[in-house]
Amino acid sequence: MTISAPTLEIAVLVLGVLILLVEAFADRIDKRSLAFAAILGLAAVFVASFFLTPAPVEVPAGSLWNFYTADALAIFFKRFALVATIFVLIMMVDCAPIVRESVPGTTHQSGLGEFFALPVFTCVGLMWMASAIDFVMIFVSLELVTMSFYVLVSFTRRNPATLEAGVKYLILSALSTGFLVYGITWVFGVTGQTNLARVAAALSDPAIESGPALFGMVLVLVALGFKIAAVPFQLWVPDVYQGAPTPVTAYLSVGSKAAGFVVLLRVLQPFFMLPQMERLLVVMALLTLVYGNLAALPQSNLKRLLAYSSIAHAGYLLIGVVCLAGEAIAFYLVSYLLMTLLSFAVLIVVAKQTGDNIEDFNGLAKRSPFLAFAMMIAMASLAGVPFTAGFLGKFYIFDAAIRYHQTSLLVVGVITVACGFYYYLKVVRAMYWETSVSDVAVPLSGLSRAAMTAMVAAIVFLGVYPQPILNALR
Amino acid sequence: MNLLIIVLLPILAAIAILLGAPARRTALFIAAFIVTATLLLYSGFEAGQPGFQRVTSYSISSDWKINFALGIDGFSLVMLLLTAVVTFAAVWFTGKIAQHEHAFYACLLLIAGGALGAFASLDLFFFYAFHELALIPTFLLIGIWGTGNRQAAAWKITIYLATGSFILLLGLLMLYRSVPEAARTFDIRDLQKVAGLIPADAQSNIFLLLLIGFGILVSLFPFHTWAPEAYASAPAPAAMLHAGVLKKFGLYGLLRVAIPILPEGAQHWSTLLIVLLLGNIIYIGLVTIAQKRLDWMLGYSSVMHMGYIFLGIASGTLLGTSGAAVLIFAHGISIALLFGITGEIRQRTGTLVLSELGGLGKIMPRAAFAFGLAAFASIGLPGFANFTGEVMVLFGAFRNGANPERFRIYQIATVLGLWGVVISAVYMLRTYRSVFMGTMRESLSGATDLRRSLRLPIGLLVAMTVWFGFFPQSFVRIVTPTFKTYFSSKP
């Protein structure tokens, strides 16, 4: 049995609509079962993604394949989006009591159904984005993702911090969308094309004016810089990450970032023959690395720390972008998905008992050795200790930089890695060195424990044996 | 005995201990097993044969030609032996652990497993990765169970070593990229074959990165400041393992990777290396004399002695290089013994300030005897392996470009290095006098001597260093075939 690639998105979309319908008409069921249904459905789509028919080689004009590709990179990131969404939904089940408290409504389950349905729609957007090779398509799928995030970020709206996060995200995101459309207009104005392949062909014509095209591209870069949280478009990140419900933060930092990088890789390809572009990206990568890592050093709130760390990781990923190392970026994003989601998953469970400051993790090794161990693996991987996936991610990125002789990026990269060891190990220190604030064991549901075990196993497995990921990219 | 078992057993045992296996008994059993296994390896080793023996290899990444490959030659064999013996002693020396006993033994075994894996790896990736495996356990060991200013010390060692490791990683990646695409590999054996293909300027750049990276890990002057503080604060077994074994990874790496694969780079930076190692020997030597605490004195002395090993590495002669290998082994044994006994003294007296100690020889004769032996070994008295190593290193270094007409930098370095022997005699003997001789304070009179059972690990360590001190040929015979290939192209 074979399936054509767009069927996957349609299936996920139908799944989302079904969940909304069931939630609207079946009032009495436990709404958490909707989340389990979504998880099962997404898992089925994930399995189905291994039985795809290859995309047509010759693209007939005017067909869907003009703005949709099903190349290895696209399929890979579709699976990536599915896995990320499944883990986020598992975290959301853990978060259900918090949502109940902070969403106004008539019944005690108000809002839960939408909370579980929206990530499915985001997932559709992410999957479309992975396949988009036309500016129009990129814009539409990006908007689908952003729209559902507007709602998700401000979902627990009784909490003022969440509202603040929602407003900030809305305004800045809308602004960046404006930049994106304006940039696309400029590129279209110069080349007369929106399809990326044809834009590249038009740009290679020496008669064309590269200045305005470059200006348009810089505007697109601004918009994407916002999505991936690159300096100087990172200002929204700490507040939004801290204020949003934690599963949404995790989703934002993994899904939104991964999609941004895929689009960036695709969009930049035609423009890389212009030398100014590379210099601009190097500067952006340097700033992102330095800012993200230095600002993370003094943080005392774990969610904020992870926000800055997500900026820092955007910096390492930008090194890969400068070198156009798609494979390295893909592997880094996979490792980033695992370790970030794992740390947020532990954070959700611990924060329910004590809070989300680093000092609330004091003595976690006594209260819950399993959670402390999982968190230690996540932190070690984020810092880049060998035998974890995070190390191999940095390994491939640094290798790409060596291949392209990006000395400045290498020097700054090594210094910032050392910074990273400090702030990630700060969490390990709290868990293992400090004495506990309470002796009550942290409750942990079976599903979350299974998900965390799977992520720990995946981090260590990929840290020793990366070949499956490299094969999947081919 | 399969190398895979030796390398993975401590790591598996650490996991088992974390999952609830009886901590001390498991650790001790595993350590004893590894000592036996490496002694069997030693007895079954076919010396004189070039190349690696008992090779096992599993493919990890075909794109990158990364293999999980293990194998031993003479040099790695003695490093495994050193690791096994010191691990056994460190586990045996571990006293009562008040909190998280299981985690303590698991950390010790992880460090040992990392060191064993690094020394047995034939693949640069795993060679590097196994060493880093010890990073977080070290951080936890010092941070949780350390003494004194443990927090600062733990941060310092971790940040220093992480930075050093990533500089090293850049060097290794550049090395990987510097050979033509068809020959690209992480396999140390294959890299040695294609070493001639690396252009000279690339060699010198890569060698500098490796020298700084490995240098930070071995506390080469001026990257040494993490070492004394960390060793002073670490619990005794951790200091034994780290100063005795793990730190030697940097020296091992220089001798295994940097010198044979990048000979021209080594040539290019030899003057810099000699200046820095004289900093280790003379400057740190004088700093060591000025120390007022026993643990800091030992920490600095271990930094100082690295200078001799670097001199052997820089010597560029077979004699000096083999001497460096002997000295790596001998120093590992003697410093482990010194740190072990110091830990026992700290437990009994509660202080290591030299002016508050004194006369302990009367009430702790066993400790005084063992400490004396280790101190004599550390100074380099004849009869101990340290003496053999230092003599070989100094002769080897002196011989490089020797010319009766005038002294060149190697001869100057050798003469200055000889003064280092005097310096180390000064601080060791002065320390010994102020700890074990003289009048004893009232408050110390309750201190008891070492447990009788400690005779076993102490005896094992002393036997090792004395055996190789009296029969150096049994050691040199094993390690020289490794180094002979390095100098085969030279007259």
Side-chain angles (χ1 to χ4, degrees):
Chain A
M1 186 188 71
T2 54
I3 311 160
S4 83
T7 322
L8 297 181
E9 281 90 1
I10 295 170
V12 178
L13 194 66
V14 170
L15 178 69
V17 173
L18 278 180
I19 289 173
L20 272 188
L21 283 176
V22 172
E23 116 66 36
F25 291 104
D27 223 10
R28 287 162 201 284
I29 55 165
D30 183 354
K31 293 282 167 71
R32 276 182 300 179
S33 58
L34 293 175
F36 296 126
I39 291 169
L40 285 179
L42 291 176
V45 175
F46 180 74
V47 172
S49 75
F50 288 93
F51 300 97
L52 290 180
T53 40
V57 182
E58 286 218 359
V59 178
S63 78
L64 166 77
W65 301 100
N66 275 323
F67 49 93
Y68 185 98
T69 176
D71 59 5
L73 192 70
I75 304 292
F76 184 81
F77 277 101
K78 282 185 209 298
R79 291 183 193 141
F80 183 95
L82 287 166
V83 172
T85 315
I86 290 173
F87 279 123
V88 167
L89 280 168
I90 293 175
M91 286 188 230
M92 283 181 159
V93 176
D94 269 336
C95 251
I98 298 170
V99 175
R100 284 202 196 107
E101 275 167 30
S102 31
V103 178
T106 45
T107 68
H108 78 288
Q109 293 210 73
S110 293
L112 265 187
E114 295 93 317
F115 193 58
F116 297 139
L118 279 167
V120 179
F121 292 114
T122 318
C123 182
V124 180
L126 293 172
M127 287 167 75
W128 275 107
M129 222 196 291
S131 281
I133 48 166
D134 189 295
F135 271 124
V136 175
M137 170 98 162
I138 289 173
F139 174 73
V140 173
S141 50
L142 202 65
E143 277 312 281
L144 177 55
V145 172
T146 320
M147 291 291 177
S148 34
F149 268 127
Y150 289 151
V151 186
L152 280 173
V153 166
S154 45
F155 205 86
T156 50
R157 56 186 181 277
R158 277 198 184 149
N159 181 348
T162 306
L163 273 186
E164 186 196 331
V167 171
K168 273 190 180 154
Y169 186 69
L170 176 67
I171 293 175
L172 286 171
S173 193
L175 185 69
S176 86
T177 305
F179 272 105
L180 181 65
V181 181
Y182 194 44
I184 293 173
T185 324
W186 274 85
V187 175
F188 180 71
V190 177
T191 60
Q193 303 291 349
T194 54
N195 181 296
L196 290 175
R198 293 198 207 122
V199 167
L203 278 175
S204 57
D205 181 358
I208 212 154
E209 287 180 77
S210 70
L214 193 66
F215 177 67
M217 190 54 220
V218 169
L219 293 178
V220 173
L221 196 61
V222 169
L224 291 176
F226 175 85
K227 298 286 173 231
I228 62 173
V231 176
F233 316 108
Q234 87 300 350
L235 280 173
W236 59 282
V237 171
D239 290 339
V240 172
Y241 275 37
Q242 195 179 5
T246 313
V248 178
T249 310
Y251 204 17
L252 204 57
S253 84
V254 173
S256 180
K257 187 175 302 251
F261 272 102
V262 179
V263 173
L264 199 58
L265 269 182
R266 289 210 195 278
V267 167
L268 281 177
Q269 220 117 29
F271 289 88
F272 242 92
M273 53 205 87
L274 310 170
Q276 299 96 321
M277 209 64 219
E278 187 189 316
R279 260 175 267 154
L280 191 66
L281 279 167
V282 169
V283 171
M284 217 159 121
L286 286 176
L287 286 176
T288 311
L289 278 173
V290 172
Y291 177 86
N293 282 289
L294 290 187
L297 286 177
Q299 300 305 324
S300 60
N301 179 290
L302 187 57
K303 264 173 113 175
R304 261 187 119 72
L305 176 78
L306 287 172
Y308 283 109
S309 116
S310 119
I311 299 175
H313 285 285
Y316 295 114
L317 284 159
L318 275 172
I319 298 183
V321 172
V322 171
C323 308
L324 271 184
E327 205 177 53
I329 292 178
F331 190 89
Y332 200 102
L333 280 171
V334 171
S335 69
Y336 179 75
L337 168 126
L338 290 169
M339 56 211 191
T340 308
L341 290 185
L342 179 56
S343 44
F344 275 115
V346 177
L347 172 66
I348 289 173
V349 178
V350 176
K352 266 198 289 192
Q353 198 193 36
T354 42
D356 56 10
N357 285 323
I358 294 181
E359 59 187 26
D360 296 323
F361 279 72
N362 282 357
L364 186 65
K366 270 247 167 65
R367 279 185 283 156
S368 170
F370 173 76
L371 286 176
F373 181 75
M375 195 63 160
M376 184 170 76
I377 295 289
M379 290 297 138
S381 182
L382 283 165
V385 175
F387 295 123
T388 61
F391 168 74
L392 270 177
K394 290 206 170 67
F395 179 84
Y396 291 138
I397 292 282
F398 279 142
D399 176 70
I402 285 173
R403 215 163 47 210
Y404 287 85
H405 304 287
Q406 298 288 356
T407 317
S408 57
L409 289 173
L410 285 172
V411 172
V412 173
V414 167
I415 295 171
T416 52
V417 165
C419 289
F421 267 89
Y422 173 74
Y423 58 79
Y424 292 124
L425 288 184
K426 241 171 42 173
V427 182
V428 177
R429 181 190 72 163
M431 294 188 301
Y432 283 89
W433 296 7
E434 308 291 338
T435 44
S436 184
V437 278
S438 78
D439 281 337
V440 190
V442 185
L444 180 62
S445 72
L447 183 63
S448 299
R449 181 185 280 267
M452 284 176 198
T453 314
M455 283 191 269
V456 168
I459 287 175
V460 175
F461 178 76
L462 289 181
V464 180
Y465 189 65
Q467 200 60 29
I469 300 292
L470 303 182
N471 285 343
L473 282 164
R474 221 161 283 141
Chain B
M1 182 55 60
N2 197 331
L3 279 175
L4 197 63
I5 298 176
I6 298 183
V7 170
L8 293 186
L9 201 59
I11 299 172
L12 295 178
I15 296 171
I17 289 176
L18 281 180
L19 291 177
R24 184 172 171 83
R25 249 183 298 159
T26 312
L28 210 50
F29 174 74
I30 295 294
F33 175 82
I34 288 169
V35 170
T36 323
T38 44
L39 282 174
L40 281 176
L41 276 183
Y42 180 80
S43 65
F45 186 75
E46 292 168 39
Q49 261 190 342
F52 290 85
Q53 303 177 13
R54 293 171 196 273
V55 177
T56 45
S57 178
Y58 305 91
S59 173
I60 292 296
S61 170
S62 47
D63 295 10
W64 288 70
K65 290 197 197 135
I66 298 177
N67 296 308
F68 179 45
L70 300 174
I72 47 166
D73 66 352
F75 187 29
S76 36
L77 173 66
V78 295
M79 296 307 290
L80 291 184
L81 191 59
L82 171 71
T83 313
V85 173
V86 173
T87 306
F88 178 71
V91 172
W92 196 295
F93 261 97
T94 306
K96 184 133 183 58
I97 305 295
Q99 52 161 350
H100 302 302
E101 191 192 11
H102 286 257
F104 187 93
Y105 283 100
C107 285
L108 280 189
L109 285 180
L110 275 179
I111 295 182
L116 288 169
F119 294 141
S121 282
L122 295 181
D123 187 277
L124 280 183
F125 180 82
F126 281 92
F127 161 80
Y128 174 88
F130 267 116
H131 169 258
E132 285 255 300
L133 187 65
L135 194 70
I136 302 244
T138 313
F139 176 74
L140 293 177
L141 275 174
I142 299 179
I144 302 177
W145 298 280
T147 50
N149 198 1
R150 64 191 164 93
Q151 303 228 354
W155 281 124
K156 207 166 172 181
I157 183 173
T158 309
I159 304 284
Y160 253 100
L161 296 193
T163 315
S165 301
F166 267 87
I167 294 174
L168 176 60
L169 179 67
L170 289 192
L172 295 179
L173 278 171
M174 278 173 76
L175 179 63
Y176 172 75
R177 286 279 163 203
S178 66
V179 291
E181 186 151 7
R184 245 171 236 166
T185 172
F186 277 100
D187 193 301
I188 293 175
R189 294 164 295 175
D190 294 342
L191 273 175
Q192 281 186 20
K193 284 180 207 141
V194 297
L197 302 176
I198 306 172
D201 55 336
Q203 282 211 17
S204 71
N205 288 343
I206 299 170
F207 188 85
L208 183 64
L209 278 178
L210 294 187
L211 181 64
I212 296 175
F214 283 128
I216 292 176
L217 304 183
V218 210
S219 65
L220 174 64
F221 177 85
F223 313 113
H224 64 276
T225 55
W226 59 270
E229 195 171 354
Y231 295 154
S233 307
M240 290 167 77
L241 260 182
H242 206 283
V245 178
L246 198 65
K247 195 164 88 160
K248 306 297 190 291
F249 167 80
L251 301 163
Y252 177 82
L254 280 176
L255 279 175
R256 171 68 76 210
V257 180
I259 301 283
I261 300 179
L262 308 162
E264 287 173 51
Q267 196 67 36
H268 188 256
W269 294 106
S270 61
T271 314
L272 173 75
L273 178 55
I274 286 184
V275 171
L276 295 184
L277 72 88
L278 284 177
N280 271 65
I281 296 179
I282 304 297
Y283 173 73
I284 303 296
L286 294 174
V287 169
T288 314
I289 294 182
Q291 294 308 309
K292 296 192 164 45
R293 290 176 56 96
L294 179 56
D295 46 0
W296 280 80
M297 190 285 288
L298 287 180
Y300 271 109
S301 92
S302 92
V303 176
M304 182 247 181
H305 282 284
M306 293 304 111
Y308 288 106
I309 305 175
F310 277 116
L311 185 60
I313 292 171
S315 71
T317 57
L318 180 60
L319 184 63
T321 314
S322 310
V326 179
L327 204 46
I328 289 174
F329 187 88
H331 178 263
I333 299 276
S334 59
I335 198 73
L337 195 47
L338 287 170
F339 271 121
I341 297 167
T342 305
E344 297 291 315
I345 295 176
R346 190 203 318 258
Q347 273 178 14
R348 284 165 176 73
T349 61
T351 177
L352 286 177
V353 180
L354 290 175
S355 59
E356 293 173 10
L357 295 166
L360 287 180
K362 286 194 200 90
I363 51 169
M364 303 176 74
R366 277 197 287 271
F369 179 64
F371 194 94
L373 283 180
F376 289 156
S378 182
I379 297 166
L381 288 193
F384 295 100
N386 305 57
F387 172 75
T388 319
E390 282 180 17
V391 166
M392 287 170 75
V393 162
L394 292 171
F395 280 175
F398 194 82
R399 201 185 275 176
N400 187 319
N403 177 359
E405 302 285 314
R406 57 188 281 256
F407 274 13
R408 290 215 179 75
I409 183 155
Y410 279 98
Q411 285 71 41
I412 297 170
T414 311
V415 171
L416 288 172
L418 272 170
W419 278 99
V421 179
V422 179
I423 294 176
S424 66
V426 169
Y427 61 69
M428 275 297 171
L429 295 179
R430 269 170 48 144
T431 310
Y432 187 81
R433 188 190 63 193
S434 56
V435 174
F436 293 104
M437 295 158 144
T439 51
M440 190 173 57
R441 291 193 165 212
E442 272 306 298
S443 56
L444 299 180
S445 57
T448 50
D449 201 0
L450 299 185
R451 297 191 301 278
R452 276 179 174 275
S453 64
L454 283 179
R455 279 184 300 186
L456 182 67
I458 292 174
L460 187 64
L461 292 175
V462 172
M464 282 280 169
T465 185
V466 170
W467 171 266
F468 289 126
F470 276 92
F471 306 102
Q473 198 52 34
S474 59
F475 190 101
V476 174
R477 186 173 56 94
I478 288 177
V479 295
T480 34
T482 304
F483 303 126
K484 251 184 199 140
T485 52
Y486 299 6
F487 304 103
S488 55
S489 55
K490 286 186 187 172

